[in-house]
Amino acid sequence: ARQALEEEKAMHARTRAAMQKLKEEVERLTAQNDAQRAALDGAEAKVMKVVEDKRNELQGRAYFAEQRYTTQLVGVQAENTAKLERTKAEHSAIVQTLEQLLCQERGDKDQLLRENGDLAVQIEQMKQKMEVLVRSHNRAQAQLRGRVHGE
């Protein structure tokens, strides 16, 4: 009985020692896990900061590119508007000349027809000039858009 009691005490002592070792191993692994988690959290925070900084930088670039594009577009539109106004004035002068000629030459039908033909040619030339101007305007806008979007 004594021997059985001694063996039971020895078994309890071994069990306590094994449990103590397991407890220490659990504490060591928990500390290691906590350290790794803290390192991971720190790394994640750094990555998120870099991502946020880059996003802010790109938003700023996009804003300033849009501002430059808008400024350039306004300049091109103003230039094209001025050209269009000059063309309208030239057209108006031709129309006025036509009206004056019609009034002056009302009695001479052949003369009137010749002058009318000349004015028709001038009007056709003005139409062609206006078409060239519109194409030039469209090309300039397309080039400007291409340059701005290319940045």
Side-chain angles (χ1 to χ4, degrees):
R2 216 177 230 191
Q3 186 179 357
L5 184 60
E6 290 298 324
E7 286 177 13
E8 194 176 322
K9 283 183 181 179
M11 187 174 72
H12 282 299
R14 284 192 304 271
T15 303
R16 277 194 301 271
M19 286 178 56
Q20 183 61 34
K21 278 188 172 189
L22 285 175
K23 182 180 174 186
E24 290 170 0
E25 182 66 14
V26 166
E27 288 173 356
R28 184 186 70 75
L29 290 174
T30 301
Q32 182 181 353
N33 186 34
D34 290 346
Q36 288 174 346
R37 182 175 291 137
L40 183 61
D41 289 346
E44 182 181 6
K46 287 178 184 176
V47 167
M48 293 304 291
K49 174 76 169 112
V50 168
V51 167
E52 180 69 19
D53 289 349
K54 188 53 96 174
R55 185 178 66 78
N56 289 339
E57 176 188 342
L58 292 175
Q59 282 179 337
R61 280 185 183 172
Y63 173 79
F64 288 115
E66 181 181 353
Q67 293 303 311
R68 280 193 309 276
Y69 169 74
T70 301
T71 301
Q72 290 171 348
L73 186 59
V74 167
V76 168
Q77 286 175 336
E79 181 181 324
N80 289 338
T81 300
K83 288 179 183 176
L84 188 59
E85 290 302 319
R86 284 193 301 271
T87 303
K88 283 181 182 178
E90 290 173 5
H91 185 263
S92 178
I94 290 171
V95 170
Q96 187 176 12
T97 301
L98 176 60
E99 289 172 351
Q100 289 172 352
L101 289 173
L102 285 173
C103 289
Q104 292 172 3
E105 303 296 328
R106 194 164 275 171
D108 186 358
K109 188 175 184 178
D110 291 337
Q111 180 68 24
L112 180 61
L113 289 174
R114 281 194 303 276
E115 290 175 3
N116 191 23
D118 292 344
L119 287 173
V121 168
Q122 288 180 343
I123 289 171
E124 186 59 35
Q125 290 172 344
M126 289 307 296
K127 285 180 184 178
Q128 291 173 359
K129 284 182 181 180
M130 285 175 51
E131 288 175 12
V132 167
L133 179 62
V134 167
R135 284 193 301 271
S136 172
H137 170 76
N138 290 341
R139 267 195 311 275
Q141 281 189 322
Q143 289 172 349
L144 179 60
R145 284 191 199 103
R147 278 187 267 148
V148 170
H149 292 301
E151 292 179 25

